Amino acid sequence: MQKISSTVCGKKQKEMTKQIGKLRQQVFCLQLNEKILLIKIQRAKAKENLINFFLTKSKKHEDV
């Protein structure tokens, strides 16, 4: 009886370990996606800042 229950526990433990591995992989992918999105946001902000900088710079030249 004890052998059967330990076999069942072993199978459940393997399944749980497999699920944990899948979850860790999903977390890693989500973190990677988050970093990619943050980089894209930073690039967009930098681009916007450059555009605003050049627009204000060109307006100052027009005023002169």
Side-chain angles (χ1 to χ4, degrees), residues 31-48:
Q31 288 172 335
L32 190 60
N33 286 338
E34 181 186 22
K35 286 179 184 178
I36 290 168
L37 289 173
L38 287 173
I39 289 169
K40 286 183 177 182
I41 290 168
Q42 287 173 344
R43 285 182 181 168
K45 284 182 180 179
K47 188 176 180 179
E48 186 179 335

Side-chain angles (χ1 to χ4, degrees), residues 17-64:
T17 304
K18 203 180 226 183
Q19 286 179 338
I20 289 170
K22 287 180 182 180
L23 289 172
R24 283 186 177 156
Q25 189 175 12
Q26 287 177 343
V27 168
F28 175 78
C29 288
L30 288 171
Q31 288 172 335
L32 190 60
N33 286 338
E34 181 186 22
K35 286 179 184 178
I36 290 168
L37 289 173
L38 287 173
I39 289 169
K40 286 183 177 182
I41 290 168
Q42 287 173 344
R43 285 182 181 168
K45 284 182 180 179
K47 188 176 180 179
E48 186 179 335
N49 288 340
L50 278 173
I51 291 169
N52 288 334
F53 172 76
F54 285 115
L55 286 176
T56 55
K57 193 174 183 180
S58 65
K59 283 183 183 177
K60 285 180 183 177
H61 283 290
E62 288 173 6
D63 291 344
V64 173

Side-chain angles (χ1 to χ4, degrees), residues 3-20:
K3 260 192 173 181
I4 294 171
S5 64
S6 66
T7 305
V8 170
C9 287
K11 286 182 181 179
K12 283 187 179 184
Q13 190 173 3
K14 278 186 179 182
E15 287 176 29
M16 293 293 283
T17 304
K18 203 180 226 183
Q19 286 179 338
I20 289 170

